[in-house]
Amino acid sequence: MLKKGETVQVWNRTAARATALEPFGAKAFTDAADAVRGADVVHLVVKDDAAVDEVLAKAAPGLQSGAIIIDHTTTTTEGAVARTKSWKDRGFIYLHAPVFMGPANAADSTGFMLVSGDQDVVTRLEPQLAKMTGKVLNFGAEEGRAASMKLLGNAFLVTLTAGLADTLMLAKALQVPLDDLSTLFSAWNPGTMLQARMQRMSKGNYDDPSWELNMARKDTGLFIKAAEAAGTPLAVIPSIAKEMDKWIGRGHGTNDWTVIGKDAVS
């Protein structure tokens, strides 16, 4: 924002984090109400619903009439919906706009910002938000949908990282160097399969398997056996094995292995 010529006032519950921005042209305040005083737009980035409510309560006495509150915090869907209504009732625009943006993205105006809700509000604010990020994704008029989408994205990231951790543990158990694993994934990128895998699962047709569940379970057993032999713990694969056993027990062993996600799409 400073690089784009904006006047920026900052406040943080850890004061040093705010004062650290003063050499770049921001003005730091020790009181949240003073920090938002005179501001047309207030951006908020904290930990969770409780922190959002706490900080906004501190800032409220300083908010000028017509100020716009844009909250980038990852929160519950219900919290985002409730705050949108409560602040509207108080005469303010509140827009929940969570992000997939690390510090480097924030500095370079790249990454993704998610919005939803009153489309007149979104249309009004989108040009300003677009300057802050690489792409603004508008998920329509339903309040709280942006919050849900952020949770879904983070759920995938958590699952991906846990699965990668198990893969690295298995490589350790099999005494495979990381350079070889990197070579494999550089040539064979399983990330490109995501859309096709989602499409197959959502269609709910598992009768023409590309990989039978029985065979996937056999391989999963090999993972677990190798890890146990080396004394390396696996975090998620044993749970997946139990889920596979459940579906095999239901008679789906010869179906495509993606049948383990059937309940999620039916």
Side-chain angles (χ1 to χ4, degrees), residues 12-20 28-30:
N12 194 290
R13 286 172 294 178
T14 302
R17 294 181 178 176
T19 56
F29 290 83
T30 58

Side-chain angles (χ1 to χ4, degrees), residues 199-210:
Q199 187 175 28
R200 174 161 194 152
M201 293 175 72
S202 64
K203 286 182 177 179
N205 181 7
Y206 310 101
D207 295 331
D208 184 21
S210 62

